[in-house]
Amino acid sequence: MGSARKPVIVRKFSREWYAGYAGAAFGQDSSALEVLDQGGKVLTIGWETVKWVCYVRDFSSTADMSNPERLLQKRFAVRPRTSGLWLRMTLNDGDELEGIAANDRSLISGAGLLVTPPDTRSNTQRVYVPRQAIQTVEVVSLIGAGGQRRRTEPQPELFPAEPGQEL
């Protein structure tokens, strides 16, 4: 059974970071992100200062003070194999991040983007980037699921020729 709170590392634009547990379904409907830190204290972090929220496997990497989320690879070296939208984001501080996002309505109407980072074997499993932290988004490619092609019927003629009339 899944936990109601997920382990996260919150990175701010000021390079500060916080490790703790965030609710499974947080969003920007509130003005701040609430994180329960490892000491049991509730931290309130304003969304305007959040660069990204990394869902991590564990907190053992917090010994590395400069990169606790171990997000070393921020770009894909080769074309990814996971299906979805391959996105390239430029954040407000000029940092670039690539990831695979679900091809659904959350890209347009969501409060942020949830992407799978290039290195899925690292400590970071998913990265949530709030909308106000994103300067530009580029869709690099749509990567489809192999072998799952839809069967389509032939498209009907839009302007069928009437009998006895030639085009």
Side-chain angles (χ1 to χ4, degrees), residues 6-124:
K6 304 292 182 189
V8 296
I9 294 178
V10 180
R11 174 72 69 174
K12 294 173 68 175
F13 282 109
S14 64
R15 297 290 182 206
E16 291 179 285
W17 58 271
Y18 301 99
Y21 299 90
F26 66 83
Q28 278 182 280
D29 50 351
S30 63
S31 62
L33 168 65
E34 288 188 354
V35 176
L36 179 66
D37 73 357
Q38 295 173 333
K41 182 180 170 186
V42 176
L43 303 172
T44 305
I45 306 166
W47 281 112
E48 66 278 353
T49 64
V50 175
K51 182 176 182 177
W52 58 51
V53 179
C54 292
Y55 289 89
V56 295
R57 297 180 198 278
D58 58 27
F59 294 123
S60 63
S61 65
T62 56
D64 181 12
M65 298 303 283
S66 63
N67 193 9
E69 59 266 64
R70 285 188 272 174
L71 192 60
L72 302 174
Q73 192 175 352
K74 295 180 186 175
R75 296 184 73 133
F76 288 102
V78 295
R79 181 182 170 93
R81 294 185 176 182
T82 308
S83 62
L85 282 177
W86 178 2
L87 300 178
R88 182 176 296 134
M89 295 174 276
T90 304
L91 305 179
N92 289 337
D93 64 350
D95 205 0
E96 282 192 355
L97 175 68
E98 289 186 2
I100 299 291
N103 188 11
D104 61 10
R105 200 162 174 70
S106 68
L107 292 171
I108 299 169
S109 62
L113 296 176
L114 183 66
V115 297
T116 303
D119 187 8
T120 56
R121 294 170 292 171
S122 72
N123 192 38
T124 300

Side-chain angles (χ1 to χ4, degrees), residues 149-155:
R149 297 188 184 242
R150 289 189 237 175
R151 294 183 185 184
T152 59
E153 297 178 22
Q155 184 175 353

